[in-house]
Amino acid sequence: MAEALHYKYWGKARRDNEDGAVCHLLPYHCLDVAAVGYFLLAPGSRRCKQLAHQLKVDPHWLRDFFVFCLSLHDLGKFSRAFQGLQKDLLDGLVKPNARMRYNKRHDSLGFCLWSENFRSSLAANSPERSSMQMELWIEIVTGHHGQPPLKTIGRLADYFMSEDIEAASQFIQDAMDLLLNDFDFGPLQEKTLKKRLKKVSWQLAGIAVLADWLGSNQDYFDYCNQPDPLNEYWQTKALP
């Protein structure tokens, strides 16, 4: 079985005096942040219960879905423009594209990638989910640097190669299989949920900021550049 494309992208990188530049693969960083959210929104916590009450959803539903959304917080890092910020990492990673300049932040790149590409493709692959209200959820988690993402960035092709979009698509599907197995998507089809979500959006965005901050801490999450199945990484490294 061919190795998934999303393992060819770095999410975090640092300089090491002995080894030069070292990296943490992007799918793993995404799961690190999701794992922090898993505990920040424990269904039995006062925080989760209050938010679920305001949204009129079950606390377990809120935790499960928001954890999935957190796993997509860095979709913009799949852009070749972002990947070009580190040019001397592992040979197995994607190669920089000299014509792609990183002049829009990855949070905005991720939101626009979802809005322009995956929102419609998700509906096409699953017609029964065509009325799901997901865009605000994605805006909340991609705004994990303390401000909402830009709604437009120009042409996606200035930042993403077709391989990058395919890698992001594979990761979304794999994250959905891992984190939303047997999930009830029904509440996302309720138009009134979006109105309620707006009222708590900044609280959820704050949780996303904290989850990203903690999920980026190397004291808790060691860098890993060896491709392992996402479910194995989730169970043996991210959650512990």
Side-chain angles (χ1 to χ4, degrees):
M1 183 175 179
E3 183 180 291
L5 286 174
H6 53 64
Y7 290 115
K8 298 171 65 177
Y9 294 76
W10 63 272
K12 291 287 181 180
R14 70 168 187 262
R15 291 282 170 181
D16 189 291
N17 291 333
E18 295 182 0
D19 301 323
V22 294
C23 76
H24 190 41
L25 294 182
L26 179 52
Y28 298 155
H29 170 65
C30 291
L31 291 186
D32 295 341
V33 174
V36 175
Y38 185 88
F39 290 99
L40 289 178
L41 276 182
S45 67
R46 180 180 178 185
R47 176 189 301 113
C48 188
K49 288 180 178 178
Q50 287 180 338
L51 288 168
H53 176 74
Q54 290 174 277
L55 289 168
K56 297 183 180 179
V57 297
D58 181 80
H60 288 85
W61 185 97
L62 173 59
R63 193 269 299 276
D64 290 349
F65 186 66
F66 196 66
V67 165
F68 166 69
C69 291
L70 282 173
S71 76
L72 308 185
H73 79 285
D74 266 351
L75 273 184
K77 288 186 177 181
F78 280 104
S79 72
R80 198 63 58 103
F82 178 87
Q83 291 294 308
L85 295 177
Q86 293 285 348
K87 299 180 172 62
D88 55 351
L89 292 175
L90 294 176
D91 291 338
L93 301 184
V94 294
K95 304 303 180 185
N97 185 323
R99 74 171 182 82
M100 292 185 172
R101 298 192 309 126
Y102 184 63
N103 55 14
K104 293 289 190 298
R105 284 176 25 147
H106 68 271
D107 46 359
S108 296
L109 293 176
F111 177 75
C112 291
L113 178 64
W114 172 273
S115 296
E116 297 182 32
N117 202 281
F118 299 128
R119 178 176 56 179
S120 58
S121 64
L122 188 66
N125 292 333
S126 185
E128 68 276 11
R129 301 176 188 170
S130 61
S131 60
M132 289 194 308
Q133 307 288 315
M134 289 187 62
E135 191 157 347
L136 182 55
W137 294 90
I138 302 302
E139 182 178 355
I140 288 169
V141 295
T142 52
H144 60 275
H145 287 289
Q147 63 187 44
L150 298 175
K151 301 297 179 65
T152 59
I153 57 169
R155 297 191 320 140
L156 281 180
D158 291 335
Y159 303 96
F160 294 88
M161 297 179 65
S162 59
E163 182 184 29
D164 305 334
I165 296 175
E166 176 61 24
S169 178
Q170 287 183 8
F171 177 71
I172 291 173
Q173 185 59 58
D174 287 351
M176 187 174 290
D177 292 343
L178 173 66
L179 302 172
L180 294 181
N181 187 31
D182 295 326
F183 183 73
D184 176 16
F185 290 92
L188 291 172
Q189 297 174 320
E190 299 175 10
K191 294 183 179 179
T192 56
L193 178 61
K194 183 176 180 180
K195 184 177 181 179
R196 297 192 294 272
L197 180 59
K198 287 182 177 180
K199 295 180 179 180
V200 300
S201 60
W202 281 103
Q203 295 177 62
L204 288 170
I207 292 172
V209 171
L210 179 58
D212 184 54
W213 183 63
L214 292 171
S216 300
N217 191 322
Q218 295 172 52
D219 290 338
Y220 307 129
F221 299 98
D222 293 333
Y223 275 15
C224 180
N225 57 30
Q226 299 301 314
D228 288 318
L230 293 188
N231 63 331
E232 182 176 324
Y233 183 87
W234 176 249
Q235 294 293 342
T236 65
K237 295 180 181 179
L239 285 179

